[in-house]
Amino acid sequence: MAGAAPRVRYLAGFCCPLGGLAAGKPRVLCHEAEVFLSTGSELVYVYDQEGGLLTAAFRFPDQVWHLELLAPRRLLYALCARRGLYCLSLDHPGRSRSTSQDDRDSEDGDQPSPVIPVDPDACILPDAALCAFTLLDSVLVTLVQGPARWKMQLFEQPCPGEDPRPGGQIGEVELSSYTPPAGVPGKPAAPHFLPVLCCVSPSGSRVPHDLLGGSGGFTLEDALFGLLFGADATLLQSPVVLCGLPDGQLCCVILKALVTSRSAPGDPNALVKILHHLEEPVIFIGALKTEPQAAEAAENFLPDEDVHCDCLVAFGHHGRMLAIKASWDESGKLVPELREYCLPGPVLCAACGGGGRVYHSTPSDLCVVDLSRGSTPLGPEQPEEGPGGLPPMLCPASLNICSVVSLSVSPRTHEGGTKLLALSAKGRLMTCSLDLDSEMPGPARMTTESAGQKIKELLSGIGNISERVSFLKKAVDQRNKALTSLNEAMNVSCALLSSGTGPRPISCTTSTTWSRLQTQDVLMATCVLENSSSFSLDQGWTLCIQVLTSSCALDLDSACSAITYTIPVDQLGPGARREVTLPLGPGENGGLDLPVTVSCTLFYSLREVVGGALAPSDSEDPFLDECPSDVLPEQEGVCLPLSRHTVDMLQCLRFPGLAPPHTRAPSPLGPTRDPVATFLETCREPGSQPAGPASLRAEYLPPSVASIKVSAELLRAALKDGHSGVPLCCATLQWLLAENAAVDVVRARALSSIQGVAPDGANVHLIVREVAMTDLCPAGPIQAVEIQVESSSLADICRAHHAVVGRMQTMVTEQAAQGSSAPDLRVQYLRQIHANHETLLREVQTLRDRLCTEDEASSCATAQRLLQVYRQLRHPSLILL
């Protein structure tokens, strides 16, 4: 049946909950052109197939669990959860309360039919424990959920035209015990699986087919009926009630024996016979014709004609199917043949059709099996008279329709096919027209050649499927790996962004040191990435280190650009660290522009991780389609800043004079020199002074000086933690050089002044001394510490002064946050100092403008005056408090 192609036509759509309709409670009944449908909610719909319209909708007070139609009397019976049994007359639907405007407004706009609330008087059998029922012409059979046992009750049905309320109870019997589901005390809990009831009559019974159990009864051939239910049921010509319970039991009760038991009480257990135990909830009981000739004739019966079935079937929820049929044994005796089949599950619903076919639905497919295959004679030794056997195994054929929760088989169509009426889990009512005769041929003998060719085709198909499975498994593994990586990236991002000002779970620290490469000294930065979190940095992570010089930062229009280094981070687990060393300068021009900013950032590439998982990674993969571009992430990735470190002059100073004499390293080399100048220097006479602009400037020009004064009290408060017991001047110098490699020697020698060498080879002298400021405070002199920077290079002194001022600003900000207060000051004196500085700044602007217009002779005096003003500005009379 691989070529089956059902023609599906959607009739209507109905409201359903978010997760879809649950199996077991939805019900679809078909009588002529009318369809009666329940989705398991409070509504029962009536749909006209000829007009394609929803003609009515009945609203019940609670969920509708089961529907039965007594077609000759035009009565619709509905089991309402925790309410009881309701009966509606389809000829007079107006007997229920008329539709109000509120009811119309409350319904879905897609339902043009009126919603008729069911009148409470329509409840003919109120019982909150009622779980199942079935109908016979003169008997109503119910199944009640007792405290510990199921109880079957029989009621007398009224005659046609009378009040549909049942008469007195005419029989009762208890079935097997069960474990009741947990519920609210005083209110019975709804069972997860409802029991299944149906009526079975022998072929000689006088009960018409259309009155046999409404829409749930059938007639069995005498042979099978007698084998299943015994001689008493056959002699009495009594209908039998089959009951499938949620625990898997399939039992039967003879109705006439149950009725007479009230007048002649006996052993109640003798009234109940257990036919089989499926060991899983029974969800369907039905019967069908399996003999080839009889099955073909059964398909041509009119709906009102009686069909004598020769096979009883029952379905369990997990896919176990029971089939019982009368068959001949080896001795020629008629015996019941019972077979269990394991079909794909879970089974949502099932139905018996013509031609010996049984339809059953799973969440993934609607399948059909053929029970008439076992009845075909397989050889001349098998007699053709009498019933055949059941097939040893069943092979379900797919109809390519999924999630059908209720199914009804309509009579044979005029075209000769089979028509199914189905309700899907999404609430869609549809018809499926099937032509299975041409698609399910009988078994034919194979030749050796055809069998070999068939085996080759099957093996080739298995190989192709295996190859495809391996490719798909590889793709699934890649996507699982990508999802794991994305989860780790999300955790890392949340950990870094939520750390605030506290210690970061992933940190990057930067330190600097001088290294000699060939004939040039190079300033190297060492960045240490440390993972202190519980997460791992794997695929997609990159450490980005950006080096930005002061010239690039100050001159935005310049052609220079920042240098960015990218280092892939691979397998950096918790507690691991990664060290990266890179050069900071001097650059190609031989200079080192200070300060230099080193920024460290973690970058997570979304395109590398997600794009690699969605796009085919192997060009030879024929089963994976290329991922559309709109599925890939729009952003390249995610940036997580780690640290920002500034390298200034104080960190780059070198102190060759601090090394012991026996370990003293050669003097630091300056920038790369011209080879001619180097040759001339080697040829000069011993004892003569070197010639050059730097040497002349250092010999004949006085050094430039810059200073800054800080309150001694402010310094003591800031340095009290790590410098207790150390003189204040020494502690201040150690604090200024804390990030310099020579700080340990400075600390060991308790120095308060030191002379170092700048990156360009010029000397820089740092002097820290205590002074007293006598003119600021009326209460007396203020003890202060003066930090003085001296150098013959104006550029170096500016860089060193900038580094000192930056540290002071950070210290003052931290102390101000702690609530430090300043002493009383002479405001008039401060105003005078401020006015003097304003005057000097205006003079600087005037002198700079004059330099642009004067000739070379006059500009020398102007430049000299400008330097004097700069020196005054770098010696302020103010103090940091």
Side-chain angles (χ1 to χ4, degrees), residues 429-446:
L429 180 65
M430 52 189 159
T431 60
C432 311
S433 300
L434 308 175
D435 185 10
L436 303 179
D437 295 335
S438 60
E439 297 163 1
M440 298 185 69
R445 293 187 177 274
M446 278 190 179

Side-chain angles (χ1 to χ4, degrees), residues 687-717:
S688 61
Q689 297 295 327
S695 300
L696 293 176
R697 182 171 63 247
E699 182 177 358
Y700 296 105
L701 291 180
S704 300
V705 180
S707 65
I708 183 172
K709 299 180 181 67
V710 189
S711 168
E713 182 181 356
L714 179 62
L715 280 174
R716 289 192 186 96

